[in-house]
């Protein structure tokens, strides 16, 4: 999805931020979960197509396959998190107004402490709104369901928690 057609807003910076967070989490033994959306046959995110593949720079970690924007719906994400004792989630990814939004709200409703990484989610222009406006809107609205913090603050938080 990242490389399909028009690139997601701020693509290179997004990829750099996510890979930096992922590497830091892995170096600190913080579990990393990659959520991979699968769409029906003939759609851009059809299983096995290039649009479905996880970006090579992000690969690694536990992969959860989903069929809807909600990463918990009809997946074993909750069970996987519970098995590892995870109570706090840090959300990144695409698409801000769809999967990121839905998963953030659902995680909150399930009792997880959620942090939306403000500079590590993105989307495309919608035809009505610019991608940057959609991202900023969601950073504001999702404050009802999550802490919203920049990646640099999260890395600092992780380092302070471990010291």
């Amino acid at each position: 999805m990242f490389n399909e057609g028009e690139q997601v807003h701020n693509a290179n910076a997004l990829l750099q931020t996510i890979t930096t967070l992922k590497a830091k989490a892995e170096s600190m033994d913080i579990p990393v979960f990659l959520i991979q959306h699968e769409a029906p046959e003939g759609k851009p995110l059809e299983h096995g197509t290039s649009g479905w593949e996880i970006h090579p720079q992000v690969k690694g970690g536990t992969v959860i396959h989903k069929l809807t924007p909600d990463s918990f719906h009809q997946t074993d994400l909750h069970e996987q998190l519970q098995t590892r004792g995870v109570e706090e989630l840090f959300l990144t990814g695409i698409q801000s107004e769809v999967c990121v939004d839905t998963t953030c709200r659902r995680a909150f409703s399930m009792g997880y402490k959620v942090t939306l990484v403000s500079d590590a989610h993105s989307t495309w222009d919608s035809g009505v709104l610019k991608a940057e406006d959609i991202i900023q809107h969601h950073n504001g609205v999702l404050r009802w369901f999550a802490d919203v913090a920049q990646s640099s603050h999260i890395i600092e938080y992780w380092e302070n928690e471990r010291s």
Side-chain angles (χ1 to χ4, degrees):
M1 186 172 178
F2 186 89
N3 291 322
E4 287 296 306
E6 179 186 340
Q7 279 199 334
V8 70
H9 174 72
N10 215 9
N12 293 330
L14 174 70
L15 186 58
Q16 180 62 50
T17 301
I18 290 173
T19 57
T20 298
L21 278 168
K22 183 177 178 290
K24 185 63 171 180
E26 290 170 339
S27 77
M28 299 180 78
D29 294 321
I30 296 170
V32 173
F33 291 83
L34 304 177
I35 311 300
Q36 189 172 28
H37 192 93
E38 295 185 6
E41 188 175 328
K43 300 287 183 180
L45 297 179
E46 176 186 343
H47 181 93
T49 64
S50 62
W52 171 82
E53 292 291 332
I54 294 173
H55 194 284
Q57 291 181 16
V58 180
K59 284 187 176 180
T62 302
V63 178
I64 304 291
H65 297 273
K66 67 181 181 69
L67 301 171
T68 72
D70 181 347
S71 297
F72 291 95
H73 183 69
Q74 297 180 341
T75 73
D76 68 345
L77 177 58
H78 179 65
E79 291 78 13
Q80 294 268 356
L81 294 170
Q82 295 297 292
T83 298
R84 290 170 178 79
V86 174
E87 298 175 352
E88 184 172 13
L89 304 179
F90 298 86
L91 298 182
T92 69
I94 51 178
Q95 192 168 345
S96 301
E97 72 277 26
V98 185
C99 301
V100 173
D101 180 296
T102 304
T103 298
C104 180
R105 292 170 192 250
R106 177 73 183 272
F108 170 82
S109 295
M110 294 177 74
Y112 289 98
K113 179 182 183 327
V114 183
T115 300
L116 175 64
V117 187
S118 64
D119 56 335
H121 66 93
S122 191
T123 191
W124 293 265
D125 291 349
S126 72
V128 175
L129 297 170
K130 294 287 187 193
E132 187 172 352
D133 295 329
I134 295 168
I135 294 163
Q136 292 308 315
H137 171 77
H138 280 78
N139 283 341
V141 168
L142 292 176
R143 290 179 192 279
W144 286 94
F145 308 96
D147 291 332
V148 179
Q150 289 186 340
S151 58
S152 59
H153 296 141
I154 291 164
I155 290 172
E156 184 179 316
Y157 167 75
W158 289 343
E159 289 172 344
N160 290 337
E161 287 289 306
R162 298 291 169 110
S163 58

